[in-house]
Amino acid sequence: RSASMEGAAQEQLLEASGWVRAWHGCKLEALYSIMFHGELRESCSDSRGDRFFDGAPGVYVHRDGLREKAEGYARFVPLFRDGVFWAATWEVRV
């Protein structure tokens, strides 16, 4: 089987199980922590520089049709000083 066929089968299984694709934009500097801990952690602290709605801490995601909103939370940075700017957006299941 090809990788695209396996990916499509996995996508169908997730959808049949009730999982929905969503998108989460983050600072590039957060990538290491997210990958090391294996999870997205809730935004809940002004003192850490977290961005969240007052009284509503959490992990914010946007549904599939609003992916561009998640991209608005990603921060573009000039990582290698080569004129290319990088950003990170996570595809997640909720």
Side-chain angles (χ1 to χ4, degrees):
R1 290 174 69 172
S2 72
S4 63
M5 288 176 61
E6 288 178 15
Q10 185 177 27
E11 183 72 29
Q12 288 176 344
L13 180 61
L14 288 169
E15 287 178 6
S17 299
W19 290 94
V20 178
R21 181 168 50 188
W23 302 91
H24 175 80
C26 69
K27 295 178 182 177
L28 197 64
E29 296 90 324
L31 282 179
Y32 176 81
S33 177
I34 294 168
M35 292 188 293
F36 179 82
H37 294 288
E39 64 184 4
L40 296 170
R41 296 199 172 172
E42 71 177 2
S43 294
C44 61
S45 172
D46 285 328
S47 64
R48 285 193 326 215
D50 293 348
R51 296 187 296 168
F52 61 98
F53 292 109
D54 192 33
V59 175
Y60 294 92
V61 298
H62 293 279
R63 68 177 182 261
D64 215 15
L66 296 175
R67 177 182 179 174
E68 67 278 357
K69 284 194 171 202
E71 292 169 354
Y73 287 91
R75 301 282 175 96
F76 286 87
V77 295
L79 194 58
F80 300 111
R81 296 184 187 169
D82 61 357
V84 177
F85 286 74
W86 294 79
T89 303
W90 291 92
E91 177 181 338
V92 299
R93 297 292 188 270
V94 295

